[in-house]
Amino acid sequence: MAGLAQWLLGSGVAVTGSEPGTGPVVDRLRSLGARVATGPNPARFSGATRLVVPAPGTPIVHPDCLRAARLGLPRA
């Protein structure tokens, strides 16, 4: 997912996301302008959110996925 996020950031797309913890990948994405929170936060999505791209294996019952579904956001 980090590669996709970097590509989107390089294309001028605003990227937000969540990770269970911090580390070099999170630090790199933040340095490129991504807003990366740690841990799930179902209130995270703003009115500007257009698409939710969960990491492979993320269960549909993950708090972020459930919130996205309630908001009617498409899931890639």
Side-chain angles (χ1 to χ4, degrees):
M1 298 307 297
L4 176 59
Q6 289 180 72
W7 180 78
L8 289 168
L9 288 163
S11 298
V13 176
V15 173
T16 62
S18 65
E19 283 292 324
T22 59
V25 172
V26 171
D27 293 342
R28 167 95 175 127
L29 291 173
R30 285 178 174 159
S31 75
L32 294 172
R35 291 186 344 195
V36 183
T38 54
N41 179 355
R44 167 177 356 278
F45 305 113
S46 73
T49 302
R50 298 288 177 252
L51 177 68
V52 176
V53 184
T58 302
I60 194 88
V61 295
H62 186 280
D64 288 343
C65 293
L66 293 173
R67 172 76 173 160
R70 281 193 296 278
L71 293 172
L73 295 170
R75 177 183 162 144

